[in-house]
Amino acid sequence: MAELVYPPVIATARAWFKALDLRFDIQGTEHVPRRGGALLVSNHISYLDFIFTGLAALPAKRLVRFMAKDSVFRHKVSGPLMRAMKHIPVDRSQGEDAYKHALKALDSGEVVGVFPEATISRSFTLKDFKSGAARLAQEARVPLVPVALWGTQRLWTKGHKRDFGRNHFPVGIRVGEALHAAPDESAAGLTSRVRERIQDLLESAQRAYPGTPNGPNDKWWLPAHMGGTAPTPAEARAM
């Protein structure tokens, strides 16, 4: 079936990126499979992360079907768009339906996007990962492609006003080599491997990041361990 909505949405996003004068540092897009089912597994630091994770799949000419909370699908504006782009609603009280939906998409050769932290990390460090992505990969026999994002939190994240001005914010995107479940590997073990790989990619993106705080009051987007004023992981859990 022809994709009537997704390509125009991508074109609009690209025009928006240009208007914002965003600068991208993207590496590793060759690791996204050009055909067949796959899971893109990313860290989560911004409300816009699905856009940037999807951007990483475009060189492979793949469209990503993201798993997102069902409230987004109930919104009068975003709902019709999400359904038209074949994203996958997740009702956290009935997660099995979303799991089956994602499994069907993977079996049909789609790329599915997952944020295993489930919610945005207020500390901008990796939270604990849910094991659902690993279980999906094992059952569908598809690879897990790790993705790390950095800088997206400066645009719009939890607890801070969105900033869509022409601030020339850099955005770092790192894609790692696909991971495959080892024979008899547990979902917990595979989840741990994916998390470790995303941590490595995140640190790589942070080291290469050219952006610096614009004064002492602009350190909120940096984690505490990097000298920023973001909550520590323990403080973020308490919040």
Side-chain angles (χ1 to χ4, degrees):
M1 185 179 294
E3 296 283 351
L4 300 179
V5 175
Y6 217 144
V9 168
I10 292 171
T12 301
R14 282 177 153 169
W16 183 51
F17 297 157
K18 186 175 182 179
L20 293 181
D21 199 25
L22 293 182
R23 291 175 288 150
F24 290 97
D25 174 17
I26 308 177
Q27 297 182 23
T29 57
E30 69 274 9
H31 298 308
V32 178
R34 290 188 170 271
R35 59 183 63 84
L39 276 158
L40 290 191
V41 185
S42 175
N43 66 319
H44 198 9
I45 53 177
S46 165
Y47 289 114
L48 304 175
D49 287 339
F50 69 97
I51 297 176
F52 298 106
T53 303
L55 188 65
L58 290 184
K61 298 182 179 179
R62 304 301 302 270
L63 299 177
V64 185
R65 316 302 177 180
F66 285 96
M67 301 183 75
K69 59 184 181 180
D70 60 343
S71 61
V72 179
F73 290 79
R74 295 196 300 269
H75 190 275
K76 63 180 181 180
V77 176
S78 63
L81 288 173
M82 295 292 283
R83 287 187 290 273
M85 290 186 284
K86 304 175 188 175
H87 295 312
I88 301 168
V90 179
D91 181 345
R92 289 173 183 165
S93 66
Q94 299 178 345
E96 193 62 28
D97 288 343
Y99 184 92
K100 291 178 180 177
H101 190 163
L103 185 61
K104 183 178 179 181
L106 292 169
D107 286 340
S108 65
E110 298 274 13
V111 176
V112 173
V114 180
F115 299 104
E117 296 167 283
T119 57
I120 290 173
S121 171
R122 288 177 178 265
S123 68
F124 309 130
T125 61
L126 290 189
K127 298 166 60 178
D128 291 337
F129 278 22
K130 308 292 185 184
S131 64
R135 292 189 291 112
L136 276 169
Q138 289 172 318
E139 188 167 350
R141 299 179 183 274
V142 299
L144 291 156
V145 181
V147 180
L149 306 173
W150 189 244
T152 63
Q153 74 273 30
R154 301 181 72 182
L155 291 166
W156 190 16
T157 192
K158 188 176 290 187
H160 295 274
K161 293 181 179 180
R162 55 192 174 190
D163 187 347
F164 295 159
R166 281 179 63 88
N167 291 309
H168 315 284
F169 288 151
V171 172
I173 303 174
R174 294 291 185 275
V175 185
E177 293 182 10
L179 300 175
H180 297 265
D184 301 322
E185 184 175 21
S186 68
L190 181 56
T191 300
S192 179
R193 280 206 294 136
V194 172
R195 188 181 185 280
E196 289 175 2
R197 184 62 181 127
I198 292 177
Q199 179 65 43
D200 290 341
L201 293 168
L202 178 58
E203 291 175 6
S204 172
Q206 290 169 337
R207 286 192 299 269
Y209 192 72
T212 56
N214 297 315
N217 295 324
D218 187 43
K219 293 185 177 182
W220 63 266
W221 55 273
L222 284 173
H225 75 274
M226 295 177 66
T229 57
T232 66
E235 290 169 341
R237 283 193 295 270
M239 295 167 70

